[in-house]
Every structure is written in structure tokens, then in C-alpha cells.
Amino acid sequence: ICDLGTNAEMAFISENTVYASSVPLGPAVEGMNLSCGMTAGDGAIISASGIYPRTDYKLYSGSKALGIAASGLADIFSILIKTGQIDKSGKIANGDSSADGEKRIYLKDDVYISQKDVRAVQLVKSACRSGAEILSEKSGCIFEESDNIILAGSFASSVNSSHVFSLGFFPYAEKTKVTVAGNLSLKSAEYSLLNPGYADELKEFRKKIQFISLTDDASFEKKFYENISF
């Protein structure tokens, strides 16, 4: 299970043991610090489908695209890479140049992806993938052999899960059932209000968790550079 936001909180749950860790991703997966990033609101692109430039963009609400919400990022990047607008190294191969010479890919209305945005998503992807690989190695749990993978958090709220894997956020898990669960923090808070004994259950559950530090691991930096390409 992984909650994708400013941090990626991830865990392997195996019988009576939970191996958990966290790796910082930064604000890009929240839709922030991107040229046209925004929270899910009026005019926000929350998903995309099709082949660029014949792409269909779904807006959270409204009729004019004003920016890109976190949940639309994986769809957009998957389409742009698949159609050759962005190459595997992260370079914008086709696009328009801004006044300062930076490459841009215009999506809809005045909304675009810049070269700087591509680099930001690359860093996020590499950090998540590297953390997942180290957690897998240290716990002995293997992604490809997992029965279920649950993706949660703002980034995975309405994303096409296949795009998360094709971009390389996690090792590919072809035969594993993948569930996009939305905001599990909110669901857990709601459940605790309706079930008075839930907090005590969580205290007992915490005793099963073995925390594994990822960023202190000597191999993290090496893996980070190895995983930087799409």
C-alpha cells in the first residue's frame, strides 16, 4: 500500500508483519510548483485520455481549463511520452519555445507542461521508485508477487493506475490486482468517529509495524540516479 502525496508513505503487509517506510516526494504530486499546477477545483484537469494532440481532458468542473490537478499528471505524462512529445530521458522533443527559450507543450487553452515541470516529475518518480525498491529488498517482499497493491492519496485519487506503473513509480506488477483507494486518511478518520474501538485497534496494529529508513540507506542515491529516466 502506498499513499502518494508530498511524501510517499508505503508499506508491505505480509501475514502478521508490516514493513513500512516513507520517502519525500515534494509538492509536484500535489499539483504545486508546476507551471500550471493547481488543486482540484474549477478549471482543473483531473484526467486525460487519447493520443496527443487529439487528447480528451476531463475537468473537475467548469468549461475552460485553467491548470492541472495532481490526479491528471500521470495521465498527461503517459500520453506525452507514448506519443514522443517527451523522450525517455525527460527532454521535451517537440513543443513550443517560451520567451526565455524554455520548451513547452500546450495541452488545452493556455495550460501547458514546461521542461522544468518534466524534470520535477522525474525527481518525484525516481524518489518513489528508489524507495519502493529498497523497501522491497529490505523486507523481502516483492512487488510482482503481491496479491494486492493499493494506491491512495491526492495523486492517486482518480488516476489511471496503469500510467503510474508505466511511468516507473513502482516496479511493474502485471498480474497483481491494483486498487485506487482515494483519500484513505479521511476515510480512516470518518471510520474512527463511527467506531469507538477503532483507535485501540490501531494502537495494537502499530506493534506489528517494522519501520525501515530509506533515505539513510547508502544505496538510495545510486538508485535515484538509475531511476531518473522514464
Side-chain angles (χ1 to χ4, degrees):
I1 182 169
C2 186
D3 187 303
L4 288 158
T6 304
N7 296 296
E9 288 89 14
M10 57 184 74
F12 281 106
I13 302 173
S14 177
E15 296 181 352
N16 293 320
T17 305
V18 179
Y19 302 94
S21 196
S22 177
V23 62
L25 300 184
V29 289
E30 301 283 2
M32 299 294 100
N33 281 14
L34 298 178
S35 301
C36 297
M38 63 182 293
T39 56
D42 190 47
I45 296 174
I46 58 172
S47 66
S49 59
I51 299 174
Y52 185 86
R54 296 182 296 278
T55 310
D56 179 48
Y57 299 101
K58 180 181 179 181
L59 302 182
Y60 181 83
S61 62
S63 58
K64 179 179 173 62
L66 301 176
I68 306 167
S71 58
L73 276 178
D75 290 352
I76 290 169
F77 270 77
S78 180
I79 291 169
L80 294 178
I81 292 170
K82 186 180 296 183
T83 55
Q85 306 306 308
I86 299 172
D87 66 23
K88 294 294 183 180
S89 71
K91 181 181 178 181
I92 292 180
N94 299 295
D96 301 307
S97 295
S98 63
D100 60 3
E102 185 182 36
K103 286 280 190 177
R104 294 177 176 178
I105 300 174
Y106 281 87
L107 306 175
K108 184 177 176 65
D109 299 323
D110 296 322
V111 179
Y112 62 87
I113 293 289
S114 71
Q115 184 64 71
K116 182 180 177 181
D117 299 334
V118 177
R119 297 306 184 200
V121 172
Q122 276 185 283
L123 296 177
V124 167
K125 187 275 295 187
S126 185
C128 185
R129 176 64 175 256
S130 301
E133 289 180 355
I134 294 174
L135 181 59
S136 175
E137 292 168 4
K138 289 197 169 186
S139 66
C141 298
I142 303 172
F143 266 89
E144 294 87 333
E145 296 178 358
S146 299
D147 295 319
N148 297 282
I149 293 177
I150 300 172
L151 301 178
S154 58
F155 178 68
S157 60
S158 59
V159 75
N160 183 329
S161 62
S162 65
H163 292 168
V164 176
F165 287 93
S166 66
L167 289 175
F169 276 79
F170 302 99
Y172 195 63
E174 183 179 5
K175 298 180 181 180
T176 303
K177 178 183 177 182
V178 180
T179 302
V180 176
N183 190 339
L184 287 187
S185 296
L186 178 60
K187 291 179 181 179
S188 183
E190 292 173 342
Y191 189 84
S192 67
L193 292 174
L194 297 173
N195 298 271
Y198 185 55
D200 292 330
E201 290 180 32
L202 290 181
K203 289 178 182 178
E204 288 300 310
F205 184 76
R206 268 192 356 190
K207 297 176 182 178
K208 301 179 180 180
I209 299 175
Q210 293 186 28
F211 178 76
I212 296 174
S213 176
L214 299 181
T215 53
D216 293 336
D217 190 279
S219 65
F220 185 85
E221 185 175 349
K222 181 176 182 291
K223 284 185 177 292
F224 185 85
Y225 286 108
E226 290 174 348
N227 290 322
I228 201 71
S229 297
F230 288 114

mmCIF file of all heavy atoms in Angstrom, residues 98-118:
data_model
loop_
_atom_site.group_PDB
_atom_site.id
_atom_site.type_symbol
_atom_site.label_atom_id
_atom_site.label_comp_id
_atom_site.label_asym_id
_atom_site.label_seq_id
_atom_site.Cartn_x
_atom_site.Cartn_y
_atom_site.Cartn_z
ATOM 1 N N SER A 98 9.152 29.214 -25.139
ATOM 2 C CA SER A 98 8.686 30.428 -24.474
ATOM 3 C C SER A 98 9.651 31.569 -24.769
ATOM 4 O O SER A 98 10.663 31.395 -25.454
ATOM 5 C CB SER A 98 8.600 30.189 -22.968
ATOM 6 O OG SER A 98 9.882 29.915 -22.438
ATOM 7 N N ALA A 99 9.348 32.742 -24.228
ATOM 8 C CA ALA A 99 10.195 33.917 -24.462
ATOM 9 C C ALA A 99 11.616 33.707 -23.969
ATOM 10 O O ALA A 99 12.571 34.242 -24.545
ATOM 11 C CB ALA A 99 9.571 35.139 -23.785
ATOM 12 N N ASP A 100 11.774 32.929 -22.904
ATOM 13 C CA ASP A 100 13.118 32.689 -22.373
ATOM 14 C C ASP A 100 13.774 31.444 -22.976
ATOM 15 O O ASP A 100 14.846 31.017 -22.545
ATOM 16 C CB ASP A 100 13.085 32.578 -20.848
ATOM 17 C CG ASP A 100 12.202 31.424 -20.364
ATOM 18 O OD1 ASP A 100 11.668 30.683 -21.210
ATOM 19 O OD2 ASP A 100 12.053 31.274 -19.136
ATOM 20 N N GLY A 101 13.126 30.841 -23.973
ATOM 21 C CA GLY A 101 13.711 29.708 -24.669
ATOM 22 C C GLY A 101 13.355 28.346 -24.115
ATOM 23 O O GLY A 101 13.748 27.325 -24.680
ATOM 24 N N GLU A 102 12.595 28.299 -23.002
ATOM 25 C CA GLU A 102 12.221 27.013 -22.421
ATOM 26 C C GLU A 102 11.131 26.353 -23.252
ATOM 27 O O GLU A 102 10.174 27.004 -23.681
ATOM 28 C CB GLU A 102 11.737 27.175 -20.979
ATOM 29 C CG GLU A 102 11.448 25.846 -20.297
ATOM 30 C CD GLU A 102 10.927 26.017 -18.878
ATOM 31 O OE1 GLU A 102 10.177 26.982 -18.636
ATOM 32 O OE2 GLU A 102 11.259 25.188 -18.031
ATOM 33 N N LYS A 103 11.255 25.054 -23.461
ATOM 34 C CA LYS A 103 10.265 24.300 -24.220
ATOM 35 C C LYS A 103 8.975 24.118 -23.428
ATOM 36 O O LYS A 103 9.011 23.894 -22.211
ATOM 37 C CB LYS A 103 10.830 22.936 -24.615
ATOM 38 C CG LYS A 103 11.861 22.970 -25.730
ATOM 39 C CD LYS A 103 11.192 23.083 -27.089
ATOM 40 C CE LYS A 103 12.185 22.866 -28.211
ATOM 41 N NZ LYS A 103 11.518 22.904 -29.531
ATOM 42 N N ARG A 104 7.862 24.175 -24.143
ATOM 43 C CA ARG A 104 6.554 23.959 -23.537
ATOM 44 C C ARG A 104 5.697 23.089 -24.451
ATOM 45 O O ARG A 104 5.822 23.155 -25.670
ATOM 46 C CB ARG A 104 5.823 25.286 -23.309
ATOM 47 C CG ARG A 104 6.451 26.224 -22.299
ATOM 48 C CD ARG A 104 5.665 27.522 -22.236
ATOM 49 N NE ARG A 104 6.167 28.427 -21.205
ATOM 50 C CZ ARG A 104 5.676 29.637 -20.976
ATOM 51 N NH1 ARG A 104 4.648 30.080 -21.707
ATOM 52 N NH2 ARG A 104 6.196 30.399 -20.026
ATOM 53 N N ILE A 105 4.824 22.300 -23.833
ATOM 54 C CA ILE A 105 3.829 21.539 -24.584
ATOM 55 C C ILE A 105 2.459 22.041 -24.149
ATOM 56 O O ILE A 105 2.071 21.888 -22.977
ATOM 57 C CB ILE A 105 3.940 20.034 -24.309
ATOM 58 C CG1 ILE A 105 5.325 19.514 -24.705
ATOM 59 C CG2 ILE A 105 2.855 19.276 -25.072
ATOM 60 C CD1 ILE A 105 5.559 18.071 -24.321
ATOM 61 N N TYR A 106 1.751 22.664 -25.055
ATOM 62 C CA TYR A 106 0.432 23.193 -24.723
ATOM 63 C C TYR A 106 -0.605 22.074 -24.816
ATOM 64 O O TYR A 106 -0.650 21.315 -25.793
ATOM 65 C CB TYR A 106 0.066 24.355 -25.637
ATOM 66 C CG TYR A 106 0.747 25.638 -25.214
ATOM 67 C CD1 TYR A 106 2.020 25.952 -25.671
ATOM 68 C CD2 TYR A 106 0.125 26.501 -24.325
ATOM 69 C CE1 TYR A 106 2.667 27.113 -25.263
ATOM 70 C CE2 TYR A 106 0.754 27.672 -23.909
ATOM 71 C CZ TYR A 106 2.026 27.965 -24.375
ATOM 72 O OH TYR A 106 2.661 29.118 -23.948
ATOM 73 N N LEU A 107 -1.443 21.992 -23.786
ATOM 74 C CA LEU A 107 -2.417 20.910 -23.680
ATOM 75 C C LEU A 107 -3.808 21.357 -24.102
ATOM 76 O O LEU A 107 -4.400 20.824 -25.032
ATOM 77 C CB LEU A 107 -2.449 20.387 -22.241
ATOM 78 C CG LEU A 107 -1.102 19.967 -21.647
ATOM 79 C CD1 LEU A 107 -1.272 19.594 -20.181
ATOM 80 C CD2 LEU A 107 -0.497 18.813 -22.432
ATOM 81 N N LYS A 108 -4.334 22.349 -23.389
ATOM 82 C CA LYS A 108 -5.691 22.827 -23.641
ATOM 83 C C LYS A 108 -5.794 24.276 -23.171
ATOM 84 O O LYS A 108 -5.297 24.610 -22.098
ATOM 85 C CB LYS A 108 -6.712 21.947 -22.890
ATOM 86 C CG LYS A 108 -8.173 22.297 -23.152
ATOM 87 C CD LYS A 108 -9.075 21.327 -22.430
ATOM 88 C CE LYS A 108 -10.547 21.689 -22.566
ATOM 89 N NZ LYS A 108 -11.019 21.598 -23.952
ATOM 90 N N ASP A 109 -6.410 25.101 -23.995
ATOM 91 C CA ASP A 109 -6.498 26.532 -23.695
ATOM 92 C C ASP A 109 -5.085 27.080 -23.457
ATOM 93 O O ASP A 109 -4.231 26.907 -24.289
ATOM 94 C CB ASP A 109 -7.444 26.771 -22.508
ATOM 95 C CG ASP A 109 -8.864 26.273 -22.809
ATOM 96 O OD1 ASP A 109 -9.298 26.416 -23.969
ATOM 97 O OD2 ASP A 109 -9.520 25.726 -21.901
ATOM 98 N N ASP A 110 -4.830 27.687 -22.307
ATOM 99 C CA ASP A 110 -3.500 28.237 -22.022
ATOM 100 C C ASP A 110 -2.694 27.359 -21.061
ATOM 101 O O ASP A 110 -1.702 27.809 -20.482
ATOM 102 C CB ASP A 110 -3.633 29.649 -21.423
ATOM 103 C CG ASP A 110 -4.258 30.627 -22.410
ATOM 104 O OD1 ASP A 110 -3.928 30.521 -23.609
ATOM 105 O OD2 ASP A 110 -5.074 31.467 -21.987
ATOM 106 N N VAL A 111 -3.110 26.128 -20.886
ATOM 107 C CA VAL A 111 -2.460 25.219 -19.945
ATOM 108 C C VAL A 111 -1.351 24.444 -20.651
ATOM 109 O O VAL A 111 -1.555 23.907 -21.742
ATOM 110 C CB VAL A 111 -3.484 24.244 -19.330
ATOM 111 C CG1 VAL A 111 -2.798 23.287 -18.358
ATOM 112 C CG2 VAL A 111 -4.588 25.015 -18.625
ATOM 113 N N TYR A 112 -0.200 24.370 -20.018
ATOM 114 C CA TYR A 112 0.942 23.715 -20.659
ATOM 115 C C TYR A 112 1.824 22.994 -19.641
ATOM 116 O O TYR A 112 1.733 23.205 -18.428
ATOM 117 C CB TYR A 112 1.794 24.742 -21.421
ATOM 118 C CG TYR A 112 2.404 25.820 -20.555
ATOM 119 C CD1 TYR A 112 3.641 25.644 -19.919
ATOM 120 C CD2 TYR A 112 1.748 27.038 -20.355
ATOM 121 C CE1 TYR A 112 4.193 26.629 -19.112
ATOM 122 C CE2 TYR A 112 2.292 28.025 -19.549
ATOM 123 C CZ TYR A 112 3.517 27.822 -18.945
ATOM 124 O OH TYR A 112 4.062 28.792 -18.133
ATOM 125 N N ILE A 113 2.695 22.132 -20.166
ATOM 126 C CA ILE A 113 3.748 21.461 -19.407
ATOM 127 C C ILE A 113 5.078 22.030 -19.886
ATOM 128 O O ILE A 113 5.336 22.072 -21.084
ATOM 129 C CB ILE A 113 3.733 19.936 -19.650
ATOM 130 C CG1 ILE A 113 2.471 19.297 -19.062
ATOM 131 C CG2 ILE A 113 4.979 19.272 -19.061
ATOM 132 C CD1 ILE A 113 2.423 19.246 -17.560
ATOM 133 N N SER A 114 5.923 22.492 -18.967
ATOM 134 C CA SER A 114 7.221 23.042 -19.342
ATOM 135 C C SER A 114 8.325 22.021 -19.096
ATOM 136 O O SER A 114 8.114 20.999 -18.437
ATOM 137 C CB SER A 114 7.515 24.309 -18.528
ATOM 138 O OG SER A 114 7.783 23.981 -17.172
ATOM 139 N N GLN A 115 9.515 22.310 -19.629
ATOM 140 C CA GLN A 115 10.656 21.426 -19.402
ATOM 141 C C GLN A 115 10.960 21.317 -17.910
ATOM 142 O O GLN A 115 11.310 20.243 -17.409
ATOM 143 C CB GLN A 115 11.878 21.942 -20.147
ATOM 144 C CG GLN A 115 13.104 21.035 -20.041
ATOM 145 C CD GLN A 115 12.873 19.684 -20.678
ATOM 146 O OE1 GLN A 115 12.795 19.557 -21.888
ATOM 147 N NE2 GLN A 115 12.761 18.645 -19.858
ATOM 148 N N LYS A 116 10.808 22.419 -17.185
ATOM 149 C CA LYS A 116 11.027 22.413 -15.744
ATOM 150 C C LYS A 116 10.041 21.486 -15.045
ATOM 151 O O LYS A 116 10.400 20.773 -14.098
ATOM 152 C CB LYS A 116 10.886 23.835 -15.193
ATOM 153 C CG LYS A 116 11.154 23.952 -13.698
ATOM 154 C CD LYS A 116 10.982 25.396 -13.231
ATOM 155 C CE LYS A 116 11.176 25.504 -11.724
ATOM 156 N NZ LYS A 116 10.979 26.901 -11.258
ATOM 157 N N ASP A 117 8.805 21.463 -15.523
ATOM 158 C CA ASP A 117 7.786 20.578 -14.947
ATOM 159 C C ASP A 117 8.157 19.112 -15.145
ATOM 160 O O ASP A 117 7.975 18.284 -14.250
ATOM 161 C CB ASP A 117 6.417 20.837 -15.578
ATOM 162 C CG ASP A 117 5.917 22.249 -15.349
ATOM 163 O OD1 ASP A 117 6.327 22.874 -14.351
ATOM 164 O OD2 ASP A 117 5.121 22.730 -16.171
ATOM 165 N N VAL A 118 8.674 18.800 -16.343
ATOM 166 C CA VAL A 118 9.069 17.420 -16.639
ATOM 167 C C VAL A 118 10.154 16.979 -15.672
ATOM 168 O O VAL A 118 10.103 15.874 -15.120
ATOM 169 C CB VAL A 118 9.566 17.288 -18.093
ATOM 170 C CG1 VAL A 118 10.054 15.856 -18.353
ATOM 171 C CG2 VAL A 118 8.465 17.649 -19.077
#
